[in-house]
Amino acid sequence: MMRESRWLFLLLFFLLFNSVDASSQEHGSDLVKRGRYIFSLAGGCACQSVPRGIENAGGRAFPIPFGTVYSTNITQDKETGLGNWTDSQIHDAIVKGSRRDGSKIIPVMPYEAYSGMAQEDLKALIAYLKTLKPVKKATPGIYV
Ligand code: HEM
């Protein structure tokens, strides 16, 4: 009898442990799905990619009065994208328009409009950005 209940306990423990793990994984992917949705709503996919070019690798030209600014690579590439950025650096670029070196992003990137985004939505957006497959492509920044 003791032996049977020990097995029953182990079985229950196993089922409980596995279900907790599965639900936390599902939670993570829900966050990414939500982030992807927010990214589309915010127009990120249109601006951070050249039409019919590599998705999110930047390079789309925006003519402004004193030159042309190009969107940047926001994939997870460590050298040319956001691969080495911390969550808080990505957060500040989106809502404050700050680059990692503290300089200001040209406001073609609508960070003013994003500054009121809910923290939960930003968290989801950043989680989604971190899933973007790294693509090596340096973008020129601004040409005057
Ligand atoms: C939620 C959507 C968006 C996200 C997450 C996002 C993310 C970023 C990040 C992190 C940077 C800085 C990267 C770096 O300095 O290396 C950036 C730059 C830039 N973004 Fe966005 N962006 C979004 C939407 C847009 C939209 C809608 C536009 C166009 C209307 C845009 C245009 C640009 C441009 C032109 C730059 C480069 C500006 C500069 O070099 O000064 N972005 N974006």
Side-chain angles (χ1 to χ4, degrees):
M1 183 62 188
M2 272 295 280
R3 218 181 140 90
E4 278 164 10
S5 47
R6 202 174 65 193
W7 281 113
L8 194 62
F9 174 77
L10 281 175
L11 181 67
L12 284 173
F13 182 79
F14 177 77
L15 288 175
L16 182 70
F17 178 78
N18 263 351
S19 65
V20 167
D21 192 39
S23 81
S24 67
Q25 278 173 15
E26 199 184 322
H27 187 75
S29 81
D30 281 351
L31 191 72
V32 169
K33 272 192 214 150
R34 179 169 164 187
R36 186 191 178 134
Y37 176 67
I38 291 160
F39 186 64
S40 327
L41 278 185
C45 25
C47 283
Q48 300 292 154
S49 316
V50 171
R52 289 183 293 279
I54 309 168
E55 264 181 56
N56 304 311
R60 182 159 186 176
F62 295 90
I64 52 173
F66 50 91
T68 302
V69 60
Y70 293 84
S71 60
T72 48
N73 182 352
I74 57 165
T75 70
Q76 281 295 298
D77 182 62
K78 288 189 189 306
E79 284 163 32
T80 62
L82 304 182
N84 269 334
W85 291 43
T86 62
D87 287 11
S88 123
Q89 288 169 335
I90 299 176
H91 173 280
D92 287 356
I94 299 170
V95 300
K96 298 184 188 158
S98 311
R99 292 201 190 88
R100 281 202 301 176
D101 63 4
S103 63
K104 274 286 178 206
I105 292 175
I106 310 279
V108 167
M109 154 84 187
Y111 51 82
E112 288 264 348
Y114 299 153
S115 65
M117 206 184 282
Q119 287 305 315
E120 276 304 301
D121 290 343
L122 278 164
K123 197 173 145 199
L125 179 58
I126 294 167
Y128 167 66
L129 292 177
K130 295 192 121 177
T131 68
L132 298 181
K133 208 170 118 277
V135 172
K136 198 164 289 303
K137 187 181 168 217
T139 42
I142 178 147
Y143 273 149
V144 181

